[in-house]
Amino acid sequence: MNIVIMGAGTVGTFVADTLCAEQHNVTIIDKSRSALELVEERVDVQTICGSACDSAILFQAGVLGADLCLAVTSLDEVNMVGASLAKAMGSRRCVARVFNHAYLNLSTFDYQRHFNIDRLLSLEYLTALELAKQIGEPGLFAVENFARGEVVIQVLDVQKGVKADGVLLRNLNLPSDVRVGLISDGVNTSIAGADNVIEAGQIVTLIGTQEHIDKVHRMFQHKRAVKFRVIIAGGGNIGFNLARILQKKEYSVTILETDPVRCEFLSRHLDSTTVLHADATRRTEMEEARVGKADVFIAATGRDEDNIVCGVEAKELGASRIMSIVRRPDYANVLTKLGIDVAVSPREVITRQIMGMVHSGPIISHSEIGGGNSAILELEVRKNTPITQALLKDLKLKQALIAAVVKEDCVRVPGAEDQIQAGDTVILLCEQDNLNDILPLFKPVKQ
């Protein structure tokens, strides 16, 4: 594929390195000649010095024939304008990184649709989501967001005595905007069918809108009796986003932050999170915050060295599990030796997200789910494709489920009598082994 990257910083360079290893043709744009020279020393890419907002520079970079454009500079506005220009000039898909989470808030303004960008990505939010995943409890978080964040995939462990326990799936009377996609017994995972019986101990994957998934949550899980205690060192964008994710799931969350101004911001914007003005690199302040009683301690400051120091201190104080942000790849091997259980690299997180979009044909994004046995795909529906030629009940999809259909501003869970139309975006769940049998349904047939 032909890929254009705007921005030769650490993220742009790391993504370029990964893409080149996969034999893609990569061009990098940056205003700094010295930054481009550093990239040229590491990666076999074409480089162009100039502004990502300059149409002449974009033309020179070949965006007219690009399969994917990635705008990952350090400025939100440059990323959105550059990606928008590239899309208007003919790039097949365009993705922009944003720092300000407000740009992702559809309730205020839809920046993505306004600028005609295929995806807005927040490195800080994705990193926070990865940390939430690594805490390791089903039901804690939404695994992925699709269709501009309007479709949510959520994993729940079925608890004994809940409404769904022992009930046929067809008899659950789920809202029309929620579908059970996968059922797992911890060993085997399969696509859910109407005749499946939900049982305690199973893990189910729900697909739908966040609003309706929240309504059915108690059908599968009791209200948490004992709060899981999480302490986050660092109230930057990663810590802030992580607290927002965790507090929605009734966890006891505390943030330790050194900047008093930032503490005030966190207090105003986090409803049920305790914010302490404290330095996590000082043992006495960690003791005062009762870090030793934490179920999980997460080091998410802006410096790897501080994350290592406070992670080691938290371990010695008695915190059950230690997690840390690590930005320098050469630190990764050291952390486990120091007793840090999980290390998350923001660059690797966003690179995995981007690699899920590097596909030809109708695939917009592709993620593994259910332990890697199944896949969740976002697919664009084109004219003259077999998927548009019959009702869903007549397609006879094998080990696959169309979980949601997005048509412009409308997201819905389709029924058996529905028919997919050109221009729709489809959220498809299928088993990995069956993927090659499903994709031809989305490929145009020559007339």
Side-chain angles (χ1 to χ4, degrees):
M1 294 180 68
N2 296 316
I3 300 172
V4 176
I5 299 176
M6 306 172 197
T10 55
V11 172
T13 303
F14 190 82
V15 171
D17 198 1
T18 306
L19 290 169
C20 287
E22 297 287 332
Q23 305 302 311
H24 295 288
N25 299 318
V26 178
T27 300
I28 297 185
I29 302 170
D30 199 281
K31 293 176 69 175
S32 170
R33 182 67 255 175
S34 58
L36 292 174
E37 288 173 354
L38 290 174
V39 174
E40 291 167 349
E41 292 175 4
R42 285 187 51 187
V43 191
D44 182 18
V45 296
Q46 179 185 355
T47 61
I48 296 176
C49 189
S51 170
C53 296
D54 187 333
S55 60
I57 294 295
L58 295 178
F59 180 83
Q60 186 181 349
V63 298
L64 278 70
D67 297 292
L68 179 65
C69 283
L70 305 170
V72 291
T73 75
S74 59
L75 296 173
D76 287 356
E77 292 73 16
V78 170
N79 291 339
M80 289 194 291
V81 172
S84 182
L85 280 173
K87 186 72 174 182
M89 292 173 69
S91 177
R92 182 164 167 260
R93 291 197 181 113
C94 292
V95 177
R97 176 191 178 183
V98 292
F99 295 84
N100 188 346
H101 196 76
Y103 290 133
L104 303 175
N105 187 357
L106 295 177
S107 65
T108 54
F109 186 78
D110 192 339
Y111 290 91
Q112 182 175 319
R113 187 178 297 279
H114 177 77
F115 285 99
N116 193 27
I117 300 170
D118 295 290
R119 188 66 57 88
L120 293 177
L121 294 180
S122 165
L123 175 62
E124 293 71 27
Y125 176 77
L126 290 172
T127 303
L129 194 57
E130 182 65 21
L131 287 165
K133 291 180 187 181
Q134 294 296 334
I135 288 178
E137 288 201 9
L140 175 61
F141 58 92
V143 179
E144 293 287 359
N145 292 329
F146 289 89
R148 300 164 55 250
E150 296 178 61
V151 177
V152 171
I153 315 298
Q154 193 160 28
V155 180
L156 301 175
D157 57 329
V158 182
Q159 297 176 349
K160 190 173 182 179
V162 295
K163 181 179 179 181
D165 188 10
V167 178
L168 272 173
L169 186 54
R170 69 167 72 250
N171 295 332
L172 273 181
N173 296 320
L174 292 172
S176 60
D177 282 345
V178 176
R179 177 82 51 95
V180 175
L182 293 175
I183 298 178
S184 173
D185 59 6
V187 178
N188 300 310
T189 302
S190 60
I191 304 293
D195 294 324
N196 284 115
V197 177
I198 306 298
E199 297 178 352
Q202 291 177 335
I203 298 172
V204 298
T205 302
L206 300 182
I207 305 169
T209 61
Q210 185 69 65
E211 177 187 0
H212 285 96
I213 285 180
D214 288 342
K215 288 180 180 179
V216 304
H217 185 274
R218 297 302 173 208
M219 295 175 67
F220 300 90
Q221 289 187 330
H222 296 295
K223 190 169 183 177
R224 194 177 300 277
V226 179
K227 287 197 172 184
F228 198 79
R229 189 161 186 253
V230 179
I231 294 182
I232 304 168
N237 285 336
I238 293 176
F240 172 63
N241 278 289
L242 179 57
R244 290 181 65 191
I245 294 169
L246 298 181
Q247 70 178 13
K248 291 179 182 178
K249 304 304 175 184
E250 300 169 3
Y251 279 64
S252 173
V253 183
T254 300
I255 293 182
L256 310 182
E257 170 58 40
T258 58
D259 183 357
V261 175
R262 184 65 178 177
C263 285
E264 291 181 9
F265 170 86
L266 295 170
S267 298
R268 288 197 309 270
H269 291 86
L270 294 170
D271 298 330
S272 56
T273 295
T274 301
V275 180
L276 299 180
H277 181 212
D279 186 349
T281 62
R282 295 179 182 272
R283 188 182 181 93
T284 54
E285 297 189 28
M286 295 266 276
E287 290 173 342
E288 290 176 5
R290 300 180 66 197
V291 166
K293 300 293 185 181
D295 295 291
V296 178
F297 177 85
I298 301 170
T301 74
R303 297 181 70 247
D304 285 354
E305 293 78 7
D306 287 347
N307 289 338
I308 292 171
V309 169
C310 63
V312 171
E313 291 281 13
K315 190 74 172 180
E316 291 182 356
L317 288 171
S320 300
R321 196 157 185 241
I322 310 299
M323 300 168 63
S324 176
I325 298 292
V326 57
R327 295 171 177 83
R328 286 183 53 174
D330 50 336
Y331 281 168
N333 294 329
V334 177
L335 296 180
T336 54
K337 298 175 183 177
L338 296 174
I340 294 174
D341 302 292
V342 176
V344 173
S345 164
R347 289 183 297 181
E348 291 181 0
V349 170
I350 197 168
T351 300
R352 282 199 301 272
Q353 187 80 9
I354 289 170
M355 293 305 291
M357 303 176 190
V358 180
H359 299 280
S360 57
I363 300 177
I364 298 173
S365 63
H366 175 193
S367 301
E368 292 183 352
I369 198 171
N373 297 322
S374 303
I376 184 85
L377 295 95
E378 195 169 3
L379 299 152
E380 59 182 3
V381 181
R382 301 174 181 177
K383 293 181 179 179
N384 303 321
T385 51
I387 196 73
T388 64
Q389 304 303 312
L391 298 177
L392 288 183
K393 67 179 182 180
D394 298 323
L395 289 174
K396 297 179 180 178
L397 298 173
K398 181 182 178 183
Q399 292 300 307
L401 173 70
I402 294 181
V405 176
V406 184
K407 184 188 296 290
E408 296 180 351
D409 293 328
C410 178
V411 180
R412 61 187 176 86
V413 174
E417 300 293 332
D418 285 326
Q419 187 167 351
I420 306 300
Q421 298 179 358
D424 290 348
T425 299
V426 166
I427 309 301
L428 176 78
L429 191 64
C430 73
E431 299 203 357
Q432 293 277 25
D433 295 340
N434 200 40
L435 191 55
N436 291 334
D437 295 328
I438 300 296
L439 287 180
L441 292 173
F442 294 86
K443 294 181 179 178
V445 176
K446 293 182 180 180
Q447 300 293 308

Coordinates of all heavy atoms in Angstrom, one line a residue, residues 279-357:
D279 N 3.0 13.9 45.4 CA 4.1 13.5 44.5 C 4.3 12.0 44.7 O 4.8 11.5 45.7 CB 5.4 14.3 44.9 CG 6.5 14.0 43.9 OD1 6.4 13.1 43.1 OD2 7.5 14.7 44.0
A280 N 4.1 11.2 43.6 CA 4.2 9.8 43.7 C 5.6 9.3 43.7 O 5.8 8.1 44.0 CB 3.4 9.1 42.5
T281 N 6.6 10.1 43.5 CA 8.0 9.7 43.6 C 8.5 9.8 45.0 O 9.6 9.4 45.3 CB 8.9 10.5 42.7 OG1 8.8 11.9 43.0 CG2 8.4 10.4 41.2
R282 N 7.7 10.4 45.9 CA 8.0 10.5 47.4 C 7.4 9.4 48.2 O 6.1 9.4 48.2 CB 7.7 11.9 47.9 CG 8.4 13.0 47.2 CD 8.0 14.4 47.8 NE 8.7 15.5 47.1 CZ 9.8 16.0 47.5 NH1 10.5 15.5 48.6 NH2 10.4 17.0 46.8
R283 N 8.1 8.6 48.8 CA 7.6 7.5 49.6 C 6.6 7.9 50.7 O 5.6 7.3 50.9 CB 8.7 6.7 50.2 CG 8.3 5.4 50.8 CD 9.4 4.6 51.4 NE 9.0 3.3 52.0 CZ 9.0 2.2 51.4 NH1 9.4 2.1 50.2 NH2 8.6 1.1 52.0
T284 N 6.9 9.0 51.4 CA 6.1 9.4 52.5 C 4.7 9.8 52.0 O 3.6 9.5 52.6 CB 6.7 10.6 53.2 OG1 7.0 11.7 52.3 CG2 7.9 10.2 54.0
E285 N 4.6 10.5 50.8 CA 3.3 10.9 50.2 C 2.6 9.7 49.7 O 1.3 9.6 49.7 CB 3.5 11.9 49.2 CG 4.2 13.2 49.7 CD 4.2 14.4 48.8 OE1 3.3 14.4 47.9 OE2 5.0 15.2 48.9
M286 N 3.3 8.7 49.2 CA 2.7 7.4 48.8 C 2.1 6.7 50.0 O 1.0 6.1 49.9 CB 3.7 6.5 48.1 CG 4.3 7.1 46.8 SD 3.4 6.5 45.4 CE 4.2 4.9 45.1
E287 N 2.8 6.7 51.1 CA 2.2 6.1 52.3 C 1.0 6.8 52.8 O 0.0 6.1 53.2 CB 3.3 6.0 53.4 CG 4.5 5.1 53.1 CD 5.6 5.3 54.1 OE1 5.6 6.3 54.8 OE2 6.4 4.3 54.2
E288 N 1.0 8.1 52.7 CA -0.2 8.9 53.1 C -1.4 8.6 52.3 O -2.5 8.6 52.7 CB 0.1 10.4 53.1 CG 1.1 10.8 54.2 CD 1.5 12.3 54.1 OE1 0.9 12.9 53.3 OE2 2.3 12.7 54.9
A289 N -1.1 8.3 51.0 CA -2.2 8.0 50.0 C -2.7 6.5 50.1 O -3.5 6.1 49.4 CB -1.8 8.3 48.6
R290 N -2.0 5.7 51.0 CA -2.4 4.3 51.3 C -2.2 3.5 50.0 O -3.1 2.7 49.7 CB -3.8 4.2 51.8 CG -4.0 4.9 53.2 CD -5.4 4.8 53.7 NE -5.7 3.4 54.0 CZ -6.9 2.9 54.2 NH1 -8.0 3.7 54.0 NH2 -7.1 1.7 54.5
V291 N -1.1 3.8 49.3 CA -0.8 3.0 48.1 C -0.7 1.5 48.3 O -1.1 0.7 47.5 CB 0.4 3.6 47.4 CG1 0.9 2.7 46.3 CG2 0.1 5.0 46.8
G292 N -0.2 1.2 49.5 CA 0.0 -0.3 49.8 C -1.3 -1.0 49.9 O -1.3 -2.3 49.8
K293 N -2.5 -0.4 50.0 CA -3.8 -1.0 50.0 C -4.4 -1.2 48.6 O -5.5 -1.7 48.5 CB -4.7 -0.3 50.9 CG -4.2 -0.1 52.4 CD -4.2 -1.5 53.1 CE -3.8 -1.3 54.5 NZ -3.8 -2.6 55.2
A294 N -3.7 -0.7 47.6 CA -4.3 -0.6 46.3 C -4.3 -2.0 45.6 O -3.4 -2.8 45.8 CB -3.5 0.3 45.4
D295 N -5.4 -2.3 44.9 CA -5.4 -3.6 44.1 C -4.6 -3.4 42.9 O -3.9 -4.4 42.5 CB -6.9 -3.9 43.7 CG -7.8 -4.2 44.9 OD1 -7.5 -5.2 45.6 OD2 -8.6 -3.4 45.3
V296 N -4.6 -2.2 42.3 CA -3.7 -1.9 41.2 C -3.2 -0.5 41.3 O -3.9 0.4 41.6 CB -4.5 -2.0 39.8 CG1 -3.6 -1.6 38.7 CG2 -5.1 -3.4 39.6
F297 N -1.9 -0.4 41.1 CA -1.2 0.9 41.1 C -0.7 1.1 39.7 O 0.0 0.3 39.1 CB 0.0 0.9 42.1 CG 0.7 2.2 42.0 CD1 0.3 3.3 42.8 CD2 1.9 2.4 41.2 CE1 1.0 4.5 42.7 CE2 2.6 3.6 41.2 CZ 2.1 4.7 41.9
I298 N -1.0 2.3 39.1 CA -0.7 2.5 37.7 C 0.2 3.8 37.6 O -0.3 4.9 38.0 CB -1.9 2.7 36.8 CG1 -2.8 1.4 36.9 CG2 -1.6 3.0 35.4 CD1 -4.2 1.6 36.2
A299 N 1.4 3.7 37.2 CA 2.3 4.8 37.0 C 2.1 5.4 35.6 O 2.5 4.8 34.6 CB 3.8 4.3 37.2
A300 N 1.6 6.6 35.6 CA 1.2 7.2 34.3 C 1.7 8.7 34.3 O 1.0 9.5 33.8 CB -0.3 7.1 34.0
T301 N 2.8 8.9 34.8 CA 3.4 10.3 34.8 C 4.0 10.5 33.4 O 4.0 9.6 32.5 CB 4.5 10.5 35.8 OG1 5.7 9.8 35.4 CG2 4.0 10.0 37.2
G302 N 4.5 11.7 33.2 CA 5.1 12.0 31.9 C 6.5 11.6 31.6 O 7.0 11.7 30.5
R303 N 7.1 11.0 32.7 CA 8.5 10.6 32.5 C 8.7 9.1 32.9 O 8.2 8.6 33.9 CB 9.4 11.4 33.5 CG 9.5 12.9 33.1 CD 10.4 13.6 34.0 NE 11.8 13.3 33.8 CZ 12.6 12.6 34.6 NH1 12.2 12.2 35.8 NH2 13.9 12.4 34.3
D304 N 9.3 8.3 32.0 CA 9.5 6.9 32.3 C 10.3 6.7 33.6 O 9.9 5.7 34.3 CB 10.4 6.3 31.1 CG 9.5 6.1 29.9 OD1 8.3 6.3 29.9 OD2 10.1 5.7 28.8
E305 N 11.3 7.5 33.9 CA 12.1 7.3 35.1 C 11.2 7.4 36.3 O 11.3 6.7 37.3 CB 13.2 8.3 35.1 CG 14.3 8.1 34.0 CD 13.9 8.6 32.7 OE1 12.8 9.3 32.6 OE2 14.6 8.3 31.7
D306 N 10.3 8.4 36.3 CA 9.4 8.6 37.5 C 8.4 7.4 37.6 O 8.1 7.0 38.7 CB 8.6 9.9 37.3 CG 9.5 11.1 37.6 OD1 10.6 11.0 38.1 OD2 9.1 12.3 37.2
N307 N 8.0 6.9 36.5 CA 7.1 5.8 36.5 C 7.8 4.6 37.1 O 7.2 3.8 37.8 CB 6.6 5.5 35.1 CG 5.6 6.5 34.5 OD1 5.0 7.2 35.3 ND2 5.5 6.5 33.2
I308 N 9.0 4.4 36.8 CA 9.8 3.2 37.3 C 10.0 3.4 38.8 O 9.7 2.5 39.6 CB 11.1 3.1 36.6 CG1 10.9 2.7 35.1 CG2 12.0 2.1 37.3 CD1 12.2 2.7 34.3
V309 N 10.3 4.6 39.2 CA 10.6 4.9 40.7 C 9.3 4.6 41.5 O 9.3 3.9 42.5 CB 11.1 6.3 40.9 CG1 11.1 6.7 42.4 CG2 12.5 6.4 40.3
C310 N 8.2 5.3 41.1 CA 7.0 5.1 41.9 C 6.4 3.8 41.8 O 5.8 3.3 42.7 CB 6.0 6.2 41.6 SG 5.3 6.2 39.9
G311 N 6.6 3.1 40.7 CA 6.2 1.7 40.5 C 6.9 0.7 41.5 O 6.3 -0.1 42.2
V312 N 8.2 0.9 41.6 CA 9.0 0.1 42.6 C 8.6 0.4 44.0 O 8.4 -0.5 44.8 CB 10.5 0.4 42.3 CG1 11.3 -0.3 43.4 CG2 10.9 -0.2 41.0
E313 N 8.4 1.7 44.3 CA 8.0 2.1 45.7 C 6.6 1.5 46.0 O 6.4 1.0 47.1 CB 7.9 3.6 45.8 CG 9.3 4.3 45.7 CD 10.0 4.2 47.0 OE1 9.6 3.4 47.9 OE2 11.0 5.0 47.2
A314 N 5.7 1.5 45.0 CA 4.3 1.0 45.3 C 4.4 -0.5 45.5 O 3.7 -1.0 46.4 CB 3.4 1.3 44.1
K315 N 5.3 -1.2 44.8 CA 5.4 -2.6 45.0 C 5.9 -2.9 46.4 O 5.4 -3.8 47.1 CB 6.4 -3.2 44.0 CG 6.5 -4.7 43.9 CD 5.3 -5.3 43.3 CE 5.4 -6.8 43.0 NZ 4.2 -7.3 42.4
E316 N 6.9 -2.2 46.9 CA 7.5 -2.4 48.2 C 6.5 -2.0 49.3 O 6.5 -2.6 50.4 CB 8.8 -1.5 48.4 CG 9.9 -2.0 47.5 CD 11.2 -1.2 47.8 OE1 11.1 -0.2 48.5 OE2 12.2 -1.5 47.2
L317 N 5.6 -1.1 49.0 CA 4.6 -0.7 50.0 C 3.5 -1.7 50.1 O 2.7 -1.7 51.1 CB 4.0 0.7 49.7 CG 4.9 1.9 49.9 CD1 4.3 3.1 49.3 CD2 5.2 2.1 51.4
G318 N 3.4 -2.6 49.1 CA 2.4 -3.7 49.2 C 1.2 -3.7 48.2 O 0.3 -4.5 48.3
A319 N 1.3 -2.8 47.2 CA 0.2 -2.7 46.2 C 0.2 -4.1 45.5 O 1.3 -4.6 45.1 CB 0.5 -1.6 45.2
S320 N -0.9 -4.6 45.2 CA -1.1 -6.0 44.7 C -0.5 -6.1 43.2 O 0.1 -7.1 42.9 CB -2.5 -6.4 44.7 OG -3.0 -6.4 46.0
R321 N -0.8 -5.1 42.4 CA -0.4 -5.2 41.0 C 0.1 -3.9 40.5 O -0.5 -2.8 40.8 CB -1.5 -5.7 40.1 CG -1.1 -6.2 38.7 CD -2.2 -7.1 38.2 NE -1.8 -7.6 36.9 CZ -2.4 -7.5 35.8 NH1 -3.5 -6.7 35.7 NH2 -2.0 -8.0 34.7
I322 N 1.2 -3.9 39.8 CA 1.9 -2.7 39.3 C 1.9 -2.6 37.8 O 2.3 -3.6 37.1 CB 3.3 -2.6 39.8 CG1 3.4 -2.9 41.3 CG2 3.9 -1.2 39.5 CD1 2.7 -1.9 42.2
M323 N 1.4 -1.5 37.3 CA 1.4 -1.2 35.9 C 2.0 0.1 35.6 O 2.0 1.0 36.4 CB -0.1 -1.3 35.3 CG -0.8 -2.6 35.6 SD -2.6 -2.5 35.3 CE -2.6 -2.1 33.6
S324 N 2.6 0.2 34.4 CA 3.4 1.4 34.1 C 3.4 1.8 32.6 O 3.3 0.9 31.8 CB 4.9 1.2 34.5 OG 5.7 2.4 34.2
I325 N 3.4 3.1 32.4 CA 3.6 3.6 31.0 C 5.1 3.6 30.8 O 5.9 4.0 31.6 CB 3.0 5.0 30.9 CG1 1.5 5.1 31.1 CG2 3.4 5.6 29.5 CD1 0.7 4.4 30.0
V326 N 5.5 3.1 29.6 CA 6.9 3.1 29.3 C 7.0 3.6 27.8 O 6.4 3.0 26.9 CB 7.6 1.8 29.5 CG1 6.9 0.7 28.7 CG2 9.1 1.9 29.1
R327 N 7.7 4.7 27.6 CA 7.8 5.3 26.3 C 9.1 4.8 25.6 O 9.1 4.7 24.4 CB 7.8 6.8 26.4 CG 6.4 7.3 26.9 CD 6.4 8.8 27.2 NE 5.0 9.2 27.6 CZ 4.6 9.2 28.8 NH1 5.3 8.6 29.8 NH2 3.3 9.6 29.1
R328 N 10.2 4.6 26.4 CA 11.5 4.2 25.8 C 11.5 2.7 25.6 O 11.3 1.9 26.6 CB 12.6 4.7 26.6 CG 12.9 6.1 26.5 CD 14.1 6.5 27.3 NE 15.3 5.7 27.0 CZ 16.5 5.9 27.5 NH1 16.7 6.9 28.4 NH2 17.5 5.2 27.2
P329 N 11.6 2.2 24.4 CA 11.6 0.7 24.2 C 12.7 0.0 25.0 O 12.5 -1.2 25.3 CB 11.7 0.5 22.7 CG 12.3 1.8 22.2 CD 11.8 2.9 23.1
D330 N 13.9 0.6 25.2 CA 15.0 -0.1 25.9 C 14.7 -0.3 27.4 O 15.5 -1.0 28.1 CB 16.3 0.7 25.7 CG 16.2 2.2 26.0 OD1 15.0 2.7 25.9 OD2 17.2 2.8 26.3
Y331 N 13.6 0.3 27.9 CA 13.3 0.1 29.3 C 12.4 -1.1 29.5 O 12.2 -1.6 30.6 CB 12.5 1.3 29.9 CG 13.4 2.5 30.2 CD1 12.8 3.7 30.5 CD2 14.8 2.4 30.3 CE1 13.6 4.8 30.9 CE2 15.6 3.5 30.6 CZ 15.0 4.7 30.9 OH 15.8 5.8 31.2
A332 N 11.8 -1.6 28.4 CA 10.8 -2.7 28.6 C 11.3 -3.9 29.3 O 10.6 -4.5 30.2 CB 10.3 -3.1 27.2
N333 N 12.5 -4.3 29.0 CA 13.1 -5.5 29.6 C 13.4 -5.3 31.1 O 13.5 -6.3 31.9 CB 14.3 -6.0 28.8 CG 13.9 -6.5 27.4 OD1 12.8 -7.0 27.2 ND2 14.9 -6.3 26.5
V334 N 13.7 -4.1 31.5 CA 14.1 -3.8 32.8 C 12.9 -3.9 33.8 O 13.1 -4.3 34.9 CB 14.8 -2.4 32.9 CG1 15.2 -2.1 34.3 CG2 16.0 -2.4 32.0
L335 N 11.8 -3.5 33.3 CA 10.6 -3.3 34.2 C 10.2 -4.6 34.9 O 9.9 -4.6 36.1 CB 9.4 -2.7 33.4 CG 9.7 -1.3 32.8 CD1 8.5 -0.8 32.1 CD2 10.0 -0.3 33.9
T336 N 10.2 -5.7 34.2 CA 9.8 -7.0 34.9 C 10.7 -7.4 36.0 O 10.3 -7.9 37.0 CB 9.6 -8.1 33.8 OG1 10.9 -8.2 33.1 CG2 8.5 -7.8 32.8
K337 N 12.0 -7.0 35.8 CA 13.0 -7.4 36.8 C 12.8 -6.5 38.0 O 13.2 -6.9 39.1 CB 14.4 -7.1 36.2 CG 14.8 -8.0 35.0 CD 16.1 -7.7 34.4 CE 16.4 -8.5 33.2 NZ 17.7 -8.2 32.6
L338 N 12.2 -5.4 37.9 CA 11.9 -4.5 39.0 C 10.6 -4.7 39.7 O 10.2 -4.0 40.6 CB 12.0 -3.0 38.6 CG 13.4 -2.6 38.0 CD1 13.3 -1.2 37.5 CD2 14.5 -2.6 39.1
G339 N 9.9 -5.7 39.2 CA 8.6 -6.1 39.9 C 7.4 -5.4 39.3 O 6.3 -5.4 39.8
I340 N 7.5 -4.7 38.1 CA 6.4 -4.1 37.5 C 5.7 -5.1 36.6 O 6.4 -5.7 35.7 CB 6.9 -2.9 36.7 CG1 7.4 -1.8 37.7 CG2 5.8 -2.3 35.8 CD1 8.0 -0.6 37.0
D341 N 4.5 -5.4 36.8 CA 3.8 -6.5 36.2 C 3.4 -6.2 34.7 O 3.5 -7.2 33.9 CB 2.5 -6.8 36.9 CG 2.8 -7.2 38.4 OD1 3.4 -8.2 38.6 OD2 2.4 -6.4 39.3
V342 N 3.0 -5.0 34.4 CA 2.5 -4.7 33.0 C 3.1 -3.4 32.6 O 3.1 -2.4 33.3 CB 1.0 -4.6 32.9 CG1 0.6 -4.2 31.6 CG2 0.4 -6.0 33.3
A343 N 3.7 -3.4 31.4 CA 4.2 -2.1 30.8 C 3.5 -1.9 29.5 O 3.4 -2.8 28.7 CB 5.7 -2.2 30.6
V344 N 3.0 -0.7 29.4 CA 2.3 -0.3 28.1 C 3.0 0.8 27.4 O 3.3 1.8 28.0 CB 0.8 0.1 28.5 CG1 0.1 0.7 27.3 CG2 0.0 -1.0 29.1
S345 N 3.3 0.6 26.1 CA 3.9 1.6 25.3 C 2.9 2.4 24.5 O 2.2 1.7 23.6 CB 5.0 1.0 24.4 OG 5.4 1.9 23.4
P346 N 2.7 3.7 24.7 CA 1.7 4.4 23.8 C 2.0 4.3 22.3 O 1.1 4.2 21.6 CB 1.9 5.9 24.3 CG 2.4 5.8 25.7 CD 3.3 4.5 25.7
R347 N 3.3 4.3 21.9 CA 3.6 4.2 20.5 C 3.1 2.9 19.9 O 2.6 2.8 18.8 CB 5.1 4.4 20.3 CG 5.5 5.8 20.5 CD 7.0 6.0 20.1 NE 7.8 5.2 21.0 CZ 9.2 5.1 21.0 NH1 9.8 5.8 20.0 NH2 9.9 4.4 21.8
E348 N 3.3 1.8 20.7 CA 2.9 0.5 20.2 C 1.4 0.4 20.2 O 0.8 -0.3 19.3 CB 3.5 -0.6 21.2 CG 5.0 -0.8 21.0 CD 5.5 -1.9 21.9 OE1 4.7 -2.5 22.6 OE2 6.7 -2.1 21.9
V349 N 0.7 1.0 21.1 CA -0.8 1.0 21.2 C -1.3 1.6 19.9 O -2.2 1.1 19.2 CB -1.3 1.7 22.4 CG1 -2.8 1.9 22.3 CG2 -0.9 0.9 23.7
I350 N -0.9 2.8 19.6 CA -1.4 3.5 18.4 C -1.0 2.8 17.1 O -1.7 2.8 16.1 CB -1.0 5.0 18.4 CG1 -2.0 5.8 17.4 CG2 0.4 5.2 18.0 CD1 -1.9 7.3 17.5
T351 N 0.2 2.2 17.1 CA 0.6 1.5 15.9 C -0.2 0.3 15.7 O -0.6 0.0 14.5 CB 2.1 1.1 16.1 OG1 2.9 2.3 16.2 CG2 2.6 0.3 14.8
R352 N -0.6 -0.4 16.7 CA -1.5 -1.6 16.5 C -2.8 -1.1 16.0 O -3.5 -1.8 15.1 CB -1.7 -2.3 17.9 CG -0.6 -3.2 18.3 CD -1.0 -4.2 19.3 NE -1.6 -3.6 20.5 CZ -0.8 -3.2 21.5 NH1 0.5 -3.4 21.5 NH2 -1.3 -2.7 22.6
Q353 N -3.3 0.0 16.5 CA -4.6 0.6 16.0 C -4.5 0.9 14.5 O -5.4 0.6 13.7 CB -5.0 1.8 16.8 CG -6.3 2.4 16.5 CD -7.4 1.6 17.2 OE1 -7.2 0.8 18.0 NE2 -8.7 1.9 16.9
I354 N -3.4 1.5 14.1 CA -3.2 1.9 12.7 C -3.0 0.7 11.8 O -3.6 0.6 10.7 CB -2.0 2.9 12.6 CG1 -2.4 4.2 13.2 CG2 -1.6 3.0 11.1 CD1 -1.2 5.2 13.3
M355 N -2.3 -0.3 12.3 CA -2.1 -1.5 11.5 C -3.4 -2.2 11.3 O -3.5 -2.9 10.3 CB -1.1 -2.4 12.2 CG 0.3 -1.9 12.3 SD 1.0 -1.4 10.7 CE 1.2 -3.0 9.9
G356 N -4.4 -2.1 12.2 CA -5.7 -2.6 11.9 C -6.4 -2.0 10.8 O -7.5 -2.5 10.4
M357 N -6.0 -0.8 10.4 CA -6.6 -0.1 9.3 C -5.9 -0.2 8.0 O -6.3 0.2 6.9 CB -6.6 1.4 9.6 CG -7.3 1.8 10.9 SD -7.2 3.5 11.2 CE -7.8 3.6 12.9

